[in-house]
Amino acid sequence: MEGLSVADANLVMYLHPSKSRNVSQSILRELGSLLFKFNETFDGVLLAYDVNILDKQAKILSGVHPYFGLRLKANLLLFSPKPDMLLEGKVVKLSQESIHVIVLGFSSAIITAENIRGEFKYRTKDTEELFASKSHKRHVIKVGTMIRFLVKSFDEEILHIIGSLISAHTGSIRWLDRHLEEDSEFDRSSMKSRDREWLGDKTVDEGATPMSYDNHIKMSKKRRITE
Amino acid sequence: MGLELPKYPEMEEDQVFNFTDSEIVSHVKQALASVLSGDNNSYNQLVGVMHHSKHLAPDEVALLETTLKALAGAVSSIDITYHDSLLSAIFCMSMWNYGPHVADALAELIVSLAISNGKYLDLCLGMLVSNFTPPPYFLDKLKMPHGLERKGQVLSRVHAAFKKIADYVPLAPLRLLTIVLQGMPTIYHKDRAIVIYVENMLKLESGEIGELVGSTILMAVVDRLIELDVEIGWDAILQDDFSKGIFEMELEDVDDIEESAEPDVGEFRLSRKSLAGNSIAELLDNLLVLTFEHLESCEREGRLAKVFETLLQSFQVTVLSAYKSKFAQFVMFYACALDPENCGMRFATMLADLFVQDSQPQPTRMSAVSYLASYLSRAKFLAASSISSMLKRLVDWCLEYCEAHDGDINPNAHRVFYSGCQAIMYVLCFRMKVFVDVPRLKSELLIPLEQVLKHKLNPLKVCLPSVVEEFLRQAKAASLFTVCKTFIFDGLLESELSRAFGGLERLDTFFPFDPCLLKKCDSFIRPMFVFWSMVKPTHDDAFDDDDDDDGSSDDYLVQDFVNENEDIMNDEFGKSFDEQGVDMDDFDYALKKMSITPKATSNYKFGGRFQEPARMPSRIRPSTSPESL
């Protein structure tokens, strides 16, 4: 899955003097308040962090409230979906008009009917609503299916994604993974993103791979970030 | 207003079934799409249906319901700019105006809208939150059966909608929290909207998304309670004569006096003099009752321990730091009463921990021990062992302090110490029986206690004289120990020294769990509350027979005290008699029973029959002692 990255950050955190009694707790609290919110500096949604204090000494700012600045080193897990990235999520609601997906358990995504390719037809089977592919009988999307979809846009405020199932390698993950190796005529021209090598041992550069290839996630470039 | 309802193609009542849902949906989609090309006719008709809300005929109701359902299916075609009039019409709709079917359809539309696009989420949540409170015309109907039914119908749908939205948009509860907190009516709203709003907040806490939003909501509710509480205090102080005393130590409940006696003068004025204060008191009363009932339901569901942690935190942050909170602390009292072993002890331990921590600021420590003392004295549900263990902790701390500080009497320097001693004495005034119930306590507690009281720091001289006097009297009667020196208090309710250690905040006269003056609350608290009359020692007989020299001097002192205060009490009584006579009925009988002074009553009611003066003065008013006048 794309959009996930781990970043090394050098941070400077300024704390109010009242927090000086329990510094580590205050640091964790400050960083905790950033969780699941889109952060401009990090250019992504902070999902997890691991932090270490670099220096026991901190510089005190002069001013009415003498805040003191702590230098920290943190490992940050960030989520920043951009248009044309492929994301994976679980279907929670399905209707003729739309498919509602939840990504990573916290981000909601919607794929409206006009963004579902014609291959999929809406059907009701035994009161269960589903989208079934006309060309591949086994390819079915219903509530609970994990699907892979393309990002069209991302609302940073609500962390809401508008997705699409137009391109060929979107759909139910289980079916896609099973049939990917069989299909040698893999049409990749429709994808505008950078090259991705499925076969072979080459590591993937932006650190984005499907969830089953976790061990190939590579640390993305280090970034200097100051707050 | 010539309103033209949209004409669905050949749609009449008997032909409705000819159209499938999807046909209607596509018709609506067309109407929405046509706006982009400039043709507003069918769109305007749609908007018209939304606005038409009052006095709907059955077919209009059906039309509205169908339209709402169709819109729910067509949310993807709604554009935030082109269709803003439609959207604003939808968001202004109130479920309180409609019956169950339309309300269902409206809820469905809102949910669909919320999950379809991030832009609508906040607006949809806001619309649902605004449905917490009924439109103004409906507020009066809330008490009637029809109103209650409508209320149940609307609120169940609103909360179900929250759950549905949270299912599809996991971060929705976070945004909901912000919206709910921002939308809280202020205490100055004349309508009683805040009561039903808080009811909804508590419903959220116990609902399915309660785990995510519950603790913040509870803390916000307690904040609001304190705001109201503080409002009452200030009103009374500003408008009232300061010498009447706001924070009175009320030790007596006259269960034995059957007639409705007039209330204590000070408190009477506290609640009566400013009407604004009175309506706020009523509001606070209602909110506290809501909270009590909520705690009861938490207890039934087995969640009380978890909720209590939030309350405890809220107490430390909000209530403890508020300047002499009057009633809001009863939330803690009630929660403890529901679960004495866990919550009850937890509360006491927290207060004791705060008291002994050197790192806490002085007012916090003194406040904490005042709460502890009042709590241990008034909580009927606490076991003797719990009380004794707390007492022991206090005594041990005081003894340690004595041994570490070798100075002379100095109220300013040892404020925390004196408040600790006063707390011990106050608790023992109420709970002298604990020495009987816990046999080993006498040996464990008395020796250190005696050492503390006879130390050079001389707490007996510094602490509130009325407390000390009562304690010594009871101690003597129980033969705990005798005090060599006789303390001449001259019938003082307070002294220079006690004022000195009490400081500006007058923490020497702070007894937070004194009888609750709010009537509805009080009916909840009563069964678990210890009134002074219940534990008042019957050593009067012993007293009369007492022939000791010590006894007689005490007798003399008591008589002096009674005489002096009689004048003061009579004065005030005389002054305010007319007022009291007029406003009596407004006040609940039980409320008046709470604050009575025997002297005043006897003059008023029993034409001369003198009730024995309570050994402990039933009213301690700061700044009414002769010295301060």
Side-chain angles (χ1 to χ4, degrees):
Chain A
M1 179 164 122
E2 298 167 39
L4 277 176
S5 56
V6 180
D8 266 334
N10 290 324
L11 307 171
V12 178
M13 183 179 283
Y14 293 104
L15 293 178
H16 189 270
S18 64
K19 312 273 190 252
S20 56
R21 200 186 310 160
N22 195 339
V23 171
S24 30
Q25 192 191 72
S26 315
I27 295 175
L28 292 176
R29 235 180 231 165
E30 280 284 329
L31 282 173
S33 69
L34 296 175
L35 284 173
F36 295 111
K37 290 194 182 78
F38 185 83
N39 192 299
E40 295 242 332
T41 330
F42 301 150
D43 189 30
V45 181
L46 182 64
L47 295 184
Y49 59 86
D50 185 23
V51 68
N52 285 310
I53 304 182
L54 278 180
D55 198 349
K56 284 279 163 136
Q57 297 195 319
K59 237 184 179 163
I60 300 181
L61 291 180
S62 57
V64 176
H65 301 288
Y67 278 67
F68 56 98
L70 281 163
R71 285 180 42 230
L72 310 167
K73 198 168 179 68
N75 261 352
L76 306 171
L77 180 63
L78 299 169
F79 177 61
S80 45
K82 298 273 187 288
D84 296 329
M85 276 190 184
L86 280 176
L87 292 183
E88 296 165 9
K90 190 181 199 168
V91 176
V92 288
K93 186 176 193 247
L94 207 146
S95 72
Q96 192 167 13
E97 308 295 322
S98 57
I99 300 178
H100 296 263
V101 184
I102 293 191
V103 177
L104 291 176
F106 74 92
S107 178
S108 52
I110 185 175
I111 305 166
T112 50
E114 56 256 20
N115 285 321
I116 302 176
R117 60 182 182 267
E119 181 192 334
F120 287 104
K121 263 281 167 305
Y122 173 77
R123 284 211 179 96
T124 318
K125 190 175 162 191
D126 304 326
T127 72
E128 196 184 15
E129 293 172 288
L130 51 91
F131 275 90
S133 163
K134 282 187 291 193
S135 32
H136 308 278
K137 284 282 146 61
R138 290 291 193 90
H139 194 170
V140 157
I141 298 177
K142 51 188 180 181
V143 173
T145 316
M146 294 292 293
I147 63 166
R148 187 176 295 144
F149 61 94
L150 206 70
V151 175
K152 276 188 80 177
S153 71
F154 178 58
D155 181 332
E156 288 163 4
E157 176 93 23
I158 314 275
L159 308 185
H160 186 94
I161 303 170
I162 301 197
S164 103
L165 284 173
I166 302 273
S167 94
H169 19 260
T170 52
S172 159
I173 295 181
R174 186 183 290 185
W175 186 89
L176 286 171
D177 287 349
R178 218 180 292 153
H179 293 82
L180 231 42
E181 290 94 40
E182 296 166 9
D183 197 0
S184 52
E185 295 157 346
F186 203 58
D187 183 13
R188 311 229 8 251
S189 54
S190 58
M191 279 192 67
K192 295 184 202 157
S193 61
R194 59 246 152 259
D195 276 316
R196 292 167 78 218
E197 305 281 332
W198 288 101
L199 312 166
D201 296 349
K202 295 186 193 150
T203 52
V204 180
D205 42 87
E206 285 295 315
T209 50
M211 294 208 268
S212 49
Y213 294 93
D214 278 355
N215 48 339
H216 285 172
I217 289 180
K218 190 185 164 190
M219 290 231 193
S220 68
K221 49 192 183 297
K222 298 186 185 215
R223 300 194 237 185
R224 287 197 151 258
I225 302 169
T226 48
E227 259 214 314
Chain B
M1 227 164 83
L3 182 71
E4 203 184 278
L5 297 173
K7 296 181 184 63
Y8 289 115
E10 298 155 33
M11 190 161 116
E12 287 152 23
E13 277 179 56
D14 49 328
Q15 287 192 320
V16 157
F17 54 81
N18 283 340
F19 294 94
T20 63
D21 285 341
S22 48
E23 283 175 346
I24 303 183
V25 168
S26 57
H27 177 88
V28 166
K29 276 188 177 176
Q30 262 180 4
L32 292 170
S34 63
V35 176
L36 282 86
S37 48
D39 172 24
N40 288 4
N41 269 333
S42 20
Y43 170 71
N44 287 338
Q45 287 175 349
L46 262 181
V47 180
V49 174
M50 295 296 122
H51 278 297
H52 192 49
S53 67
K54 299 259 166 80
H55 313 298
L56 292 172
D59 57 333
E60 293 168 328
V61 170
L63 179 61
L64 182 57
E65 190 187 332
T66 320
T67 317
L68 288 170
K69 285 199 175 133
L71 279 169
V75 282
S76 47
S77 314
I78 299 182
D79 182 89
I80 200 165
T81 1
Y82 286 105
H83 303 127
D84 67 300
S85 53
L86 178 66
L87 286 169
S88 50
I90 295 174
F91 292 135
C92 289
M93 289 177 84
S94 169
M95 282 191 211
W96 294 84
N97 292 330
Y98 307 107
H101 297 292
V102 176
D104 267 335
L106 182 54
E108 200 192 310
L109 171 57
I110 293 287
V111 169
S112 303
L113 209 48
I115 65 182
S116 70
N117 197 320
K119 289 182 275 198
Y120 301 130
L121 183 64
D122 281 350
L123 293 165
C124 291
L125 292 174
M127 181 268 183
L128 288 170
V129 169
S130 69
N131 271 271
F132 278 177
T133 50
Y137 75 88
F138 206 93
L139 272 171
D140 300 314
K141 297 190 195 167
L142 271 180
K143 298 220 172 60
M144 297 189 267
H146 163 71
L148 281 173
E149 198 192 318
R150 182 55 64 85
K151 172 176 151 186
Q153 167 200 314
V154 171
L155 295 187
S156 62
R157 280 165 179 79
V158 166
H159 287 269
F162 286 143
K163 174 72 172 90
K164 280 194 207 132
I165 296 179
D167 279 340
Y168 305 132
V169 183
L171 292 177
L174 209 62
R175 305 203 71 89
L176 176 62
L177 197 53
T178 330
I179 294 172
V180 167
L181 294 179
Q182 278 170 358
M184 262 184 105
T186 67
I187 58 180
Y188 302 106
H189 271 76
K190 281 304 164 206
D191 56 11
R192 288 141 280 135
I194 186 162
V195 180
I196 192 170
Y197 197 92
V198 169
E199 192 182 329
N200 272 287
M201 287 172 76
L202 293 174
K203 201 169 164 160
L204 266 178
E205 196 273 331
S206 56
E208 282 146 329
I209 56 174
E211 277 179 13
L212 302 164
V213 302
S215 49
T216 320
I217 280 186
L218 272 178
M219 294 186 79
V221 171
V222 175
D223 282 347
R224 189 58 98 233
L225 291 176
I226 281 286
E227 263 184 53
L228 285 165
D229 197 300
V230 167
E231 258 325 281
I232 299 177
W234 276 117
D235 277 346
I237 291 173
L238 288 173
Q239 297 190 23
D240 209 2
D241 188 353
F242 198 85
S243 67
K244 297 303 174 282
I246 320 295
F247 308 112
E248 315 240 4
M249 181 166 92
E250 188 45 61
L251 304 173
E252 210 174 290
D253 170 52
V254 256
D255 281 328
D256 37 353
I257 296 187
E258 292 308 315
E259 272 71 59
S260 61
E262 80 284 353
D264 179 45
V265 175
E267 269 128 357
F268 194 73
R269 296 214 167 165
L270 165 76
S271 337
R272 283 253 65 78
K273 218 169 193 178
S274 53
L275 280 176
N278 196 19
S279 67
I280 291 189
E282 197 188 313
L283 202 50
L284 181 57
D285 204 1
N286 288 330
L287 288 180
L288 278 170
V289 166
L290 262 182
T291 320
F292 289 167
E293 287 169 345
H294 180 78
L295 288 174
E296 279 172 5
S297 78
C298 287
E299 205 263 326
R300 279 195 295 270
E301 293 163 15
R303 300 192 297 127
L304 188 62
K306 216 166 141 240
V307 170
F308 192 75
E309 289 303 314
T310 311
L311 282 180
L312 213 56
Q313 202 188 358
S314 177
F315 178 83
Q316 282 184 268
V317 169
T318 311
V319 182
L320 195 60
S321 52
Y323 176 63
K324 291 197 174 181
S325 154
K326 266 193 265 0
F327 310 117
Q329 63 269 21
F330 278 100
V331 172
M332 300 304 296
F333 192 91
Y334 197 71
C336 292
L338 289 172
D339 184 7
E341 285 116 30
N342 290 323
C343 301
M345 274 317 284
R346 188 100 178 71
F347 185 50
T349 319
M350 183 271 285
L351 291 170
D353 286 342
L354 273 177
F355 173 64
V356 305
Q357 259 178 31
D358 283 330
S359 51
Q360 294 287 341
Q362 263 191 4
T364 310
R365 298 172 75 184
M366 292 172 70
S367 199
V369 82
S370 306
Y371 271 100
L372 183 60
S374 197
Y375 174 63
L376 292 175
S377 316
R378 299 293 192 169
K380 211 177 196 175
F381 47 86
L382 281 178
S385 54
S386 320
I387 299 175
S388 61
S389 64
M390 282 295 129
L391 272 175
K392 185 142 186 357
R393 216 175 145 187
L394 288 176
V395 171
D396 286 344
W397 184 89
C398 287
L399 186 61
E400 252 184 74
Y401 191 92
C402 282
E403 284 162 2
H405 294 82
D406 202 27
D408 261 337
I409 186 169
N410 190 340
N412 279 313
H414 306 290
R415 296 176 72 194
V416 181
F417 169 71
Y418 290 123
S419 55
C421 295
Q422 183 170 302
I424 299 170
M425 290 193 274
Y426 184 79
V427 176
L428 284 174
C429 290
F430 276 80
R431 305 284 199 177
M432 202 54 94
K433 240 171 49 76
V434 77
F435 284 117
V436 173
D437 294 335
V438 185
R440 238 188 301 141
L441 192 64
K442 247 187 177 170
S443 47
E444 283 180 351
L445 205 65
L446 280 184
I447 301 168
L449 182 58
E450 195 164 348
Q451 281 183 295
V452 169
L453 294 177
K454 293 186 177 168
H455 191 263
K456 265 199 282 179
L457 284 168
N458 216 336
L460 291 173
K461 199 158 180 204
V462 178
C463 293
L464 209 58
S466 39
V467 177
V468 177
E469 218 174 311
E470 178 61 27
F471 170 72
L472 288 177
R473 223 176 274 126
Q474 284 199 35
K476 183 170 179 194
S479 316
L480 291 181
F481 48 78
T482 43
V483 184
C484 326
K485 304 184 245 179
T486 316
F487 288 90
I488 302 170
F489 289 122
D490 291 335
L492 285 182
L493 301 166
E494 55 177 38
S495 67
E496 285 286 340
L497 295 168
S498 81
R499 274 201 297 275
F501 98 79
L504 279 174
E505 308 96 345
R506 294 313 309 278
L507 286 169
D508 56 325
T509 54
F510 182 39
F511 305 99
F513 290 113
D514 272 355
C516 186
L517 295 178
L518 299 172
K519 49 185 173 177
K520 286 187 214 163
C521 267
D522 180 59
S523 61
F524 278 81
I525 298 284
R526 244 170 196 268
M528 35 200 80
F529 195 80
V530 174
F531 291 98
W532 174 241
S533 59
M534 291 155 70
V535 293
K536 196 170 65 177
T538 50
H539 56 239
D540 303 341
D541 306 330
F543 215 96
D544 293 336
D545 298 335
D546 204 323
D547 285 330
D548 293 1
D549 285 344
D550 285 348
S552 56
S553 59
D554 278 357
D555 227 349
Y556 177 68
L557 292 169
V558 170
Q559 202 48 45
D560 260 359
F561 158 77
V562 161
N563 290 337
E564 286 213 53
N565 286 285
E566 200 176 303
D567 296 333
I568 299 170
M569 292 176 199
N570 283 341
D571 268 352
E572 289 167 10
F573 178 83
K575 249 185 274 176
S576 50
F577 179 68
D578 289 336
E579 259 184 75
Q580 293 168 356
V582 164
D583 291 341
M584 199 91 57
D585 351 87
D586 293 348
F587 245 78
D588 189 41
Y589 164 63
L591 182 56
K592 290 174 227 156
K593 276 193 354 170
M594 218 63 60
S595 357
I596 176 84
T597 60
K599 272 277 146 274
T601 333
S602 55
N603 280 338
Y604 174 58
K605 283 289 162 194
F606 303 108
R609 173 175 95 82
F610 269 75
Q611 203 210 5
E612 296 212 59
R615 293 309 172 197
M616 207 154 182
S618 51
R619 198 189 314 156
I620 292 180
R621 276 155 290 158
S623 324
T624 53
S625 55
E627 278 68 30
S628 60
L629 286 172

